[in-house]
Amino acid sequence: MPKDVPPRWDRRMQQRLARGEAAALGELYDRFASLVHSLAHRVLGDEKAADRITREVFGYIWENPDAYDPKQGSMRSWVARITQGQAVARLRQAELGRGSREELEQKVRSANAAARADYIVTSMPTPLRAALELAYFKRRDYRQAAADLQISEDEARRRLRLGLQLLSTANALPQEDTAQPGYGSREYGTPR
């Protein structure tokens, strides 16, 4: 399947939202609410603020279904980007006047990296996530992980290496000027 063709579910969901189908919003909420809430909570560290961001994100999606550009990625990624942008904006607003600008930006960068890492882990294929969880939470080396997962040691090393490579991208700063037009508004789609 060509890379520029979005998954069928994403295309259908966007069409249903554009038609104003309330059931589509409910289905989208059921599928992504925990992602939105956990990303917002990771950035803000506040349950009530994460609840507000969750409501705002789904409200924005309901009002702007055409802001999703399937050529730019999956709907899941778009929803995560909206969430992250809104949560970071809220964090900046909440922290304004508390400490120096450099301290604020460091806090925003740290929250952004943590949210990206969470998103990467929850989005990665189950075999990679299982290997990383064994290594991180249970302190298993690749041999022990291979035995626990009943796979070869080479496969365990491969999964751990790939999972760690994916996680290493969480600390990479996004290039702010590379956001494509039509992929969400500046306010919700790209953190500034």
Side-chain angles (χ1 to χ4, degrees), residues 128-146:
L128 297 181
R129 188 172 52 244
L132 282 178
E133 287 173 350
L134 283 171
Y136 185 76
F137 293 115
K138 295 188 178 181
R139 306 280 192 230
R140 303 279 200 262
D141 65 18
Y142 75 93
R143 288 183 181 101
Q144 294 165 325

Side-chain angles (χ1 to χ4, degrees), residues 44-57:
L44 298 168
D46 179 351
E47 191 74 26
K48 288 182 181 179
D51 290 342
R52 278 192 301 278
I53 294 291
T54 301
R55 286 190 302 273
E56 290 171 9
V57 165

